[in-house]
């Protein structure tokens, strides 16, 4: 009867659910009921739980009520997948697709798009937004992404109030906080959270070739309420750890270096997840990890295929495929191989024979036919899509993948294997977080196919099974905003709603919301400290006089003396830093201390970004080259001479080093080697007088001769320490209040100083308007947007051919991966582009100086790494020649070509009706060919 009444109250949901072949879960029905009632909804549920039902119901509601619906996704692959799903349901005429390089039926009532496309529509006040009733934001937890996360918040804040928002998120531990913010900026938002996995997840550890359960009893992830399960570790694993510790030294306890403080570089995270033992011990250990072929055979015997094996390295994934192929393993039958061949041919049909050879298609196909593949961002999109289709159809049994697969399309498996629980995060090797573990293992268990999913961790020497159990049983995945205003955002918002309204909109961001909430906790801490300090002052009372005043005199003397010492040190450091920031290649300096003490010539000034100190590369009198730091300069360096550094000098070239050293030695003979030394001044006279005055006052205070003075002083010091803590807390609170708006103000000041914004005539409150230059900037969406706009204004790009322009534009968006740093420094393709790059770098330095003046973090330096490849591809050279020269994988090459292409389109629109705009169109014609055009169509 209750279900009948529910159906009567939600007729749209009843009609919608009738076409599905299964009964909706409670959270799915609840989400859809809220949408039918006209409310927005945040749905947070595990991967594979079916939260997209809520998004599809919003689309259904739009169709039924005659309104538009936009379905946004973070990546093109997800957009393509959702587009195909909706076309099957509603027909091709009613569904559109908009991604960075694809536009299909954009005026349709239902449009699937990447989130950036919708953001750009909102800023442009596109007429397409008229009649919009529903927006579905799939994978909304992407707003935590530090590179793209701001886009999600821009959309959420910028959408019209009449639009119903349906936000779909992975399980996050602060869903209530996120939902509270959504309700604050969007109005009525209901929060629906489900932690129930659609398929129970069992946890295992593979020790050698033996599979052990991780938990003694049932895994917390295998039951509805894991918090009620004790989660004790399997005693067999504890015995393994104990037995291994007898014969294998566990260097996870961070072996000490000469300093006794432990090694500075540690490649195994905390060490709790093993792998840190010395290599000779690892080789001797009977519990060393099995070969990849052995892992697959073990999984096959346990009926745990198909499996995804996560390896946190692209090279590692490809190497794993090669190793398994070398073992002779075949996991497919004749029928499956025929299907794989057909699917593979369909996905590469548009590639020429030459391109297939350049991409080593035959090796890729051989692995596929054996039921094995890799999957990572470095692969050609067509190859990745082929792997995905084969895997979803249960034709491929093992995929070696990087973690990007866990954030991508729906591609579940029966089991997930994690080779290691430590990964390189761009700076250091760090333990994976509970959130990352949840995301990765969320792919285990196929709804409607498997009754249970399995997560398998490979045992590493030195592993602590208790730490692994703790990682596997936690479900913490906090969503943290990465929102930050940009130059492009500022001119778009000021142009659309004015400065004050823009400022208030930014104060509504999730970043500011989280920052403001943290202030509440800080305020509570201040109140506790104030109460405790009052009690300590009571204990410090003295019958001879006011001991609080006496204690504050003592503190004032100590602080003044510290200030004097810091002042002397700060003066030295500031002058030393200032000298380093002004160094140029060829400067001859004296290094006062350290291994490089003596005379040196600067090869590279080493100025990377505004928030890091310079690390100049120098050659010393011992002919060695090394990077220096500020600690090498307790007294400032003095530039005493200058010499020329060869344009193509490279530090790895022995002949070049010898020649430079000879020139350096010769130049040293001609210069004065006795520069004026920096001498620290005496204590500031005013500070010295103040200290003397305070000491005199202290000695004549009545409490100075109290026999219990030091006992009183101890209580007073505790009170003073709490007061100092409160001052620090107050400073932190001030920094966290209005942080986003204050950053926006600084950005507006930069833009106003450079002519992109200007004071609105007759405005009493200094409101701003967008200038012609600002309107140009509003069309450029890149990290170095302001530098690009300045280059257009100053004509840096004028007169370049299409290949030359592509090369120069690439330097403003390309960012080399760590593994791409080779022995030879990359160069521009010709003298013309080299000159253009000099001008780009000069503008970048000018912009950086303005940013420094307004205390804004400087953008990345231009990167030459893709310039030659961009030039060659635009000029029409074949893929087979460019790929080996570039050192990039096919997938990375295509991705960067498409990004240069997209950036060129932005520059063309920004420089509308000019010769530069025509050159940008030539870049599109030159680049959109072969494997790149094929990737855009697939």
């Amino acid at each position: 009867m209750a279900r009948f009444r529910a159906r009567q109250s939600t007729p749209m949901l009843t009609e919608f659910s009738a076409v599905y072949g299964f009964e909706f879960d409670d959270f799915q029905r609840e989400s859809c009921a809220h949408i039918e009632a006209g409310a927005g909804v945040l749905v947070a549920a595990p991967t594979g739980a079916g939260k997209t039902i809520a998004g599809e119901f919003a689309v259904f509601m739009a169709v039924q009520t005659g309104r538009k619906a936009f379905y946004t996704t973070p990546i093109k692959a997800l957009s393509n997948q959702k587009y195909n799903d909706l076309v099957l349901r509603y027909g091709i005429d009613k569904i559109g697709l908009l991604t960075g390089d694809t536009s299909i039926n954009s005026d349709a009532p239902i449009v699937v798009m990447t989130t950036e496309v919708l953001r750009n529509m909102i800023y442009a006040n596109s007429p397409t937004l008229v009649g919009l009733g529903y927006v579905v934001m799939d994978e909304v937890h992407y707003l935590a992404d530090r590179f793209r996360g701001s886009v999600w918040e821009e959309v959420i804040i910028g959408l019209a109030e009449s639009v119903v928002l349906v936000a779909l998120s992975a399980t996050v531990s602060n869903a209530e906080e996120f939902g509270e913010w959504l309700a604050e900026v969007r109005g009525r938002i209901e929060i629906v959270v489900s932690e129930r996995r659609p398929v129970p997840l069992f946890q295992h550890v593979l020790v050698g070739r033996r599979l052990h359960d991780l938990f003694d009893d049932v895994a917390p992830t295998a039951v509805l309420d894991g918090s009620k399960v004790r989660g004790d570790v399997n005693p067999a694993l504890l015995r393994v750890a104990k037995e291994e510790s007898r014969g294998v030294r566990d260097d996870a306890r961070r072996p000490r270096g000469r300093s006794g403080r432990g090694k500075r570089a540690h490649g195994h995270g905390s060490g709790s997840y093993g792998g840190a033992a010395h290599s000779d011990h690892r080789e001797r250990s009977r519990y060393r990890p099995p070969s990849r072929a052995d892992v697959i055979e073990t999984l096959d015997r346990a009926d745990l295929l198909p499996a995804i094996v996560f390896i946190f390295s692209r090279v590692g994934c490809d190497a794993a495929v090669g190793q398994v192929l070398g073992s002779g393993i075949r996991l497919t039958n004749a029928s499956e191989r025929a299907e794989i061949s057909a699917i593979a041919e369909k996905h590469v049909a548009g590639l020429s024979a030459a391109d297939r050879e350049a991409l080593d298609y035959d090796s890729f196909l051989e692995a596929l036919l054996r039921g094995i593949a890799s999957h990572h961002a470095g692969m050609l999109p067509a190859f990745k899509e082929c792997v995905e289709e084969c895997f979803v159809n249960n034709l491929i049994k093992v995929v070696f993948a990087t973690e990007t697969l866990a954030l991508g399309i729906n591609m579940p498996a029966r089991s997930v294997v994690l080779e290691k629980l430590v990964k390189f995060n761009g700076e250091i090797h760090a333990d994976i977080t509970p959130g990352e573990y949840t995301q990765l293992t969320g792919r285990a268990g196929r709804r409607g196919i498997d009754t249970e999913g399995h997560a398998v961790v490979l045992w590493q020497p030195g592993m602590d099974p208790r730490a692994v159990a703790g990682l596997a049983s936690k479900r913490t995945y906090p969503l943290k905003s990465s929102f930050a205003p940009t130059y492009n955002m500022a001119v778009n918002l000021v142009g659309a709603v004015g400065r004050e309204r823009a400022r208030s909109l930014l104060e509504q961001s999730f970043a500011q919301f989280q920052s403001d909430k943290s202030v509440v906790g800080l305020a509570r801490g201040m109140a506790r400290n104030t109460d405790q300090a009052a009690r300590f002052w009571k204990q410090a009372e003295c019958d001879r006089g006011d001991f609080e005043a006496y204690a504050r005199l003592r503190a004032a003397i100590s602080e003044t003396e510290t200030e004097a010492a810091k002042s002397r040190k700060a003066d030295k450091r500031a002058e030393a830093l200032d000298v380093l920031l002004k160094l140029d290649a060829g400067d001859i300096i004296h290094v006062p201390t350290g291994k490089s003490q003596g005379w040196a010539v600067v090869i590279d000034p080493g100025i990377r970004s505004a928030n890091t100190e310079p690390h100049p590369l120098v050659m010393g009198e011992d002919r060695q080259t090394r990077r220096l730091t500020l600690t090498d300069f307790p007294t400032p360096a003095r530039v005493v001479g200058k010499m020329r550094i060869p344009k193509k000098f490279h530090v790895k070239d022995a002949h070049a080093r010898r020649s430079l050293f000879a020139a350096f030695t010769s130049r040293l003979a001609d210069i004065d080697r006795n520069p004026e030394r920096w001498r620290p001044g005496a204590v500031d006279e005013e500070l010295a007088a103040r200290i003397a005055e305070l000491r005199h006052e202290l000695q004549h205070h009545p409490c100075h001769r109290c026999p219990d003075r030091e006992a009183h002083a101890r209580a007073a010091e505790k009170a003073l320490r709490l007061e100092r803590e409160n001052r620090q807390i107050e400073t932190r609170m001030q920094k966290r209040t209005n942080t986003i708006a204050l950053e926006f103000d600084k950005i507006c000041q930069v833009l106003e100083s450079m002519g992109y914004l200007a004071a609105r005539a007759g405005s009493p409150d200094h409101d701003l308007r967008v200038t012609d230059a600002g309107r140009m900037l509003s069309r450029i969406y890149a990290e170095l947007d302001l530098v690009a706009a300045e280059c257009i204004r100053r004509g840096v790009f004028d007169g370049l051919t299409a290949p030359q322009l592509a090369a120069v534009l690439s330097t403003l968006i390309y960012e080399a991966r760590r593994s791409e740093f080779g022995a030879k420094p990359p160069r521009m393709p010709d003298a013309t582009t080299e000159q253009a790059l000099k001008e780009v770098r000069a503008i970048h330095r000018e912009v950086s100086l303005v940013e420094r003046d307004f205390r804004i973090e400087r953008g990345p330096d231009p990167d030459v790494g893709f310039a030659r490849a961009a030039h060659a591809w635009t000029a029409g050279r074949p893929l087979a020649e460019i790929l080996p020269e570039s050192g990039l994988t096919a997938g990375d090459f295509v991705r960067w070509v498409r990004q240069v292409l997209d950036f060129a389109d932005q520059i063309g629109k920004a420089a509308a009706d000019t010769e530069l705009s025509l050159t940008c169109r030539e870049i599109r014609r030159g680049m959109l060919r072969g494997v790149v055009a094929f990737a855009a169509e697939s």
Side-chain angles (χ1 to χ4, degrees):
M1 182 61 73
R3 183 159 291 184
F4 173 77
R5 282 197 299 271
R7 286 175 178 165
Q8 290 293 99
S9 64
T10 53
M12 291 281 201
L13 174 55
T14 303
E15 183 182 345
F16 172 73
S17 61
V19 301
Y20 287 84
F22 57 88
E23 188 75 21
F24 284 1
D25 291 339
D26 290 345
F27 87 91
Q28 293 170 324
R29 281 194 298 272
E30 184 185 350
S31 303
C32 294
H34 288 314
I35 296 168
E36 186 167 350
V41 65
L42 166 65
V43 186
T47 301
K51 51 186 173 283
T52 53
I53 288 290
E56 290 168 11
F57 181 65
V59 171
F60 175 80
M61 286 289 293
V63 171
Q64 295 299 309
T65 57
R67 288 187 284 175
K68 289 182 181 177
F70 289 168
Y71 198 112
T72 73
T73 71
I75 55 177
K76 183 188 169 188
L78 277 172
S79 293
N80 291 343
Q81 188 179 56
K82 185 52 61 178
Y83 169 75
N84 292 329
D85 292 345
L86 293 175
V87 165
L88 288 174
R89 175 87 187 259
Y90 297 104
I92 198 164
D93 294 336
K94 287 189 177 179
I95 311 298
L97 176 66
L98 286 174
T99 61
D101 48 30
T102 304
S103 177
I104 300 171
N105 199 15
S106 60
D107 294 323
I110 311 300
V111 184
V112 182
M113 61 184 68
T114 48
T115 316
E116 279 85 353
V117 171
L118 178 54
R119 186 271 311 271
N120 297 352
M121 279 186 185
I122 291 170
Y123 281 154
N125 198 19
S126 169
T128 311
L129 297 170
V130 176
L132 181 62
Y134 297 87
V135 165
V136 180
M137 300 191 79
D138 203 354
E139 309 282 354
V140 74
H141 51 272
Y142 257 77
L143 69 76
D145 184 272
R146 69 189 181 100
F147 296 111
R148 299 172 59 208
S150 292
V151 177
W152 275 256
E153 292 190 50
E154 290 175 74
V155 168
I156 290 167
I157 294 169
L159 281 172
E161 290 181 17
S162 59
V163 175
V164 174
L165 178 70
V166 177
L168 310 178
S169 170
T171 305
V172 292
S173 50
N174 60 337
E176 289 74 16
E177 179 191 37
F178 184 46
E180 188 183 338
W181 170 71
L182 286 173
E184 191 170 289
V185 296
R186 298 292 318 158
R188 185 183 169 193
I189 292 280
E190 302 293 342
I191 305 169
V192 180
V193 177
S194 172
E195 292 197 5
R196 179 179 176 273
R197 285 180 51 89
V199 179
L201 178 65
F202 291 85
Q203 310 272 354
H204 312 278
V205 177
L206 183 60
V207 184
R209 300 184 67 172
R210 186 174 178 187
L211 204 60
H212 294 265
D213 289 336
L214 174 58
F215 295 97
D216 189 28
D217 199 357
V218 65
T221 51
V223 294
L224 187 59
D225 188 357
S227 62
K228 295 180 180 177
V229 177
R230 287 186 58 182
D232 292 335
V233 180
N234 185 348
L237 291 175
L238 295 174
R239 285 194 296 273
V240 168
K242 187 174 181 181
E243 183 181 337
E244 184 189 64
S245 67
R246 293 189 185 121
V248 180
R249 182 176 124 197
D250 179 10
D251 284 359
R253 292 185 292 273
R254 295 188 180 250
R256 294 186 175 273
R258 290 182 183 177
S259 67
R261 296 180 182 176
K263 286 188 175 179
R264 291 180 64 188
H266 197 278
H268 307 281
S270 68
S272 297
Y273 303 133
H278 285 183
S279 58
D280 56 337
H281 292 309
R282 285 202 302 269
E283 290 301 318
R284 289 203 308 268
S285 172
R286 56 183 287 209
Y287 301 118
R288 65 179 180 271
S291 70
R292 282 154 176 161
D294 287 343
V295 171
I296 291 172
E297 288 175 350
T298 302
L299 294 174
D300 197 14
R301 283 197 307 272
D303 197 23
L304 294 183
L305 297 181
I308 299 170
V309 181
F310 283 111
I311 302 173
F312 303 124
S313 157
R314 298 175 179 186
V315 173
C317 290
D318 293 337
V321 171
Q323 289 164 14
V324 175
L325 282 179
S327 72
I329 285 179
R330 186 183 298 277
L331 302 171
T332 55
N333 57 37
S335 168
E336 289 169 332
R337 288 194 288 276
E339 283 188 67
I340 291 170
S341 292
I343 291 171
E345 185 55 40
K346 177 183 72 174
H347 281 279
V348 301
L351 293 176
S352 67
D355 283 348
R356 291 192 193 192
E357 185 178 351
L359 296 166
D360 198 14
Y361 172 69
D362 289 344
S363 297
F364 169 74
L365 181 60
E366 182 190 355
L368 278 184
L369 293 173
R370 296 230 210 142
I372 303 153
S374 58
H375 186 287
H376 55 75
M379 291 173 66
L380 189 73
F383 285 14
K384 272 204 300 184
E385 289 160 16
C386 176
V387 170
E388 289 159 6
E389 185 175 344
C390 289
F391 195 79
V392 167
N393 286 296
N394 200 27
L395 299 171
I396 295 179
K397 312 305 179 184
V398 178
V399 170
F400 293 98
T402 57
E403 66 268 35
T404 54
L405 185 145
L407 301 170
I409 68 158
N410 185 23
M411 191 171 150
R414 179 168 296 167
S415 65
V416 162
V417 179
L418 279 74
E419 285 201 347
K420 292 182 179 178
L421 298 177
V422 175
K423 70 170 187 173
F424 186 72
N425 63 11
E427 295 177 359
I428 60 169
H429 285 86
D431 297 345
I432 66 171
T433 65
E436 288 169 330
Y437 185 89
T438 300
Q439 192 82 27
L440 294 166
T441 57
R443 292 293 174 194
R446 298 164 295 175
R447 186 170 191 169
I449 301 173
D450 300 319
T451 56
E452 55 191 44
H454 298 266
V456 179
V457 174
L458 298 195
W459 180 271
Q460 301 287 339
M463 180 175 275
D464 179 359
R466 287 174 292 258
V468 179
L471 181 74
S473 57
K474 288 177 185 171
R475 299 187 184 185
T476 54
Y477 187 41
L479 190 62
K480 291 183 180 177
S481 173
S482 61
F483 184 83
T486 63
Y487 296 117
N488 172 278
M489 188 192 301
V491 291
N492 274 301
L493 281 173
V494 170
V497 297
R499 177 181 178 168
E500 285 309 309
R501 173 68 179 142
R503 200 175 188 276
S504 67
L505 282 174
L506 294 179
E507 286 179 326
Q508 297 175 32
S509 68
F510 187 42
Q512 190 60 61
F513 181 82
Q514 288 187 310
S515 187
D516 289 345
K517 284 197 79 174
S518 70
V519 168
V520 176
L522 292 174
R524 288 198 192 104
M526 277 188 73
R528 283 194 301 271
N529 285 352
T530 302
D531 290 343
Q532 282 185 295
R535 288 195 292 273
F536 285 127
W537 282 127
K538 186 74 176 169
Q539 292 174 24
E541 287 179 356
C542 177
D543 58 1
R544 297 200 176 195
D546 184 352
F547 199 89
E548 182 176 342
Y550 178 78
R552 292 193 188 281
L553 271 175
R554 285 172 57 144
I557 292 170
S558 176
E559 287 170 9
T560 308
E561 288 176 338
T562 302
E563 182 187 344
K566 281 184 178 177
S567 176
R568 293 195 300 273
K569 189 175 180 180
D571 286 346
K572 286 194 289 183
R573 182 180 174 85
E575 188 173 345
L577 178 60
D578 187 55
V579 171
L580 291 188
L581 286 168
K582 292 176 180 175
L583 288 180
D584 285 324
D587 284 345
I588 296 173
I589 61 174
H590 186 267
V591 183
T593 189
K595 291 180 180 178
S596 300
Q597 184 175 9
W599 296 97
V601 59
V602 177
I603 298 170
D604 168 29
I607 301 170
R608 294 289 173 253
S609 66
N611 60 350
T612 57
E613 66 179 47
H615 289 168
L617 176 67
V618 301
M619 175 179 282
E621 294 176 276
D622 58 357
R623 206 164 80 178
Q624 299 300 311
T625 56
R626 54 178 65 90
R627 290 271 178 197
L628 303 180
T629 68
L630 196 54
T631 55
D632 291 307
F633 297 93
T635 59
R638 290 293 187 197
V639 178
V640 297
K642 186 88 175 172
M643 61 178 285
R644 193 180 75 84
I645 303 294
K647 191 175 182 180
K648 296 181 180 179
F649 174 81
H650 192 260
V651 72
K652 296 284 180 70
D653 186 330
H655 175 71
R657 281 204 316 274
R658 283 195 298 271
S659 299
L660 181 66
F661 182 69
F664 173 45
T665 305
S666 173
R667 185 74 184 89
L668 274 180
D670 300 332
I671 63 174
D672 177 12
R673 297 204 200 182
N674 295 303
E676 179 190 348
R677 293 293 180 90
W678 189 92
R679 304 214 178 264
V683 176
D684 183 271
E685 289 183 11
E686 190 177 329
L687 284 174
R690 175 65 179 149
I691 291 169
E693 181 185 332
L694 289 170
R695 287 192 179 282
H696 180 268
E697 193 176 344
L698 183 78
Q699 289 163 3
H700 289 82
H701 194 284
C703 292
H704 191 61
R705 291 175 178 79
C706 174
D708 298 322
R709 183 184 68 187
E710 292 311 308
H712 297 321
R714 284 192 289 273
E717 177 52 39
K718 290 176 182 177
L720 288 167
R721 187 174 66 248
L722 289 167
E723 288 180 2
R724 286 195 297 272
E725 279 183 26
N726 273 0
R727 287 195 293 273
Q728 292 169 356
I729 290 172
E730 194 168 2
T731 301
R732 283 159 61 194
M733 287 170 66
Q734 288 171 353
K735 285 181 179 178
R736 293 185 188 186
T737 305
N738 301 323
T739 48
I740 303 297
L742 292 172
E743 187 72 12
F744 173 72
D745 289 343
K746 290 191 284 187
I747 283 174
C748 286
Q749 288 169 346
V750 170
L751 292 172
E752 191 176 2
S753 73
M754 297 183 70
Y756 291 89
L757 295 174
R760 192 180 294 279
S763 172
D765 55 355
H766 194 66
D767 197 11
L768 297 172
R769 63 178 178 83
V770 179
T771 64
D772 289 342
R775 279 185 281 278
M776 174 185 68
L777 173 60
S778 72
R779 298 183 177 97
I780 302 173
Y781 298 91
E783 197 169 1
L784 291 176
D785 47 7
L786 187 56
V787 175
E790 278 294 289
C791 288
I792 295 174
R793 288 175 80 184
R794 301 191 198 183
V796 174
F797 302 145
D798 296 346
L800 297 176
T801 64
Q804 289 171 337
L805 180 59
V808 176
L809 291 182
S810 76
T811 66
L812 292 172
I813 59 168
Y814 180 70
E815 187 177 343
R817 284 168 54 83
R818 181 184 173 89
S819 59
E820 290 166 17
F821 297 139
K824 291 187 178 179
R827 299 199 307 271
M828 297 300 286
D830 55 35
T832 303
T833 52
E834 191 70 53
Q835 179 58 38
L837 178 64
K838 281 184 181 176
E839 295 175 40
V840 169
R841 282 177 167 159
I843 289 171
H844 182 271
R845 280 194 295 273
E846 287 179 37
V847 171
S848 298
L849 288 172
V850 177
E851 289 172 328
R852 189 178 69 180
D853 290 342
F854 289 101
R855 297 188 177 183
I856 291 176
E857 187 173 342
R858 183 178 117 163
D861 290 331
D863 193 322
V864 185
F866 193 64
R868 283 178 170 260
H871 183 279
W873 184 254
T874 312
R877 283 181 60 195
L879 182 70
E881 290 181 12
I882 300 173
L883 266 187
E885 290 177 8
S886 71
L888 295 171
T889 64
D892 282 339
F893 173 78
V894 170
R895 181 165 60 89
W896 283 114
V897 167
R898 284 162 62 179
Q899 289 200 30
V900 172
L901 209 161
D902 181 55
F903 189 46
D905 286 345
Q906 294 173 28
I907 298 297
K909 289 172 185 173
D913 303 321
T914 63
E915 197 70 34
L916 175 58
S917 178
L918 296 176
T919 310
C920 288
R921 285 183 210 162
E922 284 183 47
I923 290 177
R924 170 163 281 277
R925 286 194 292 272
M927 282 191 150
L928 202 56
R929 63 183 178 87
V931 70
V932 175
F934 179 68
E937 292 162 5
S938 62

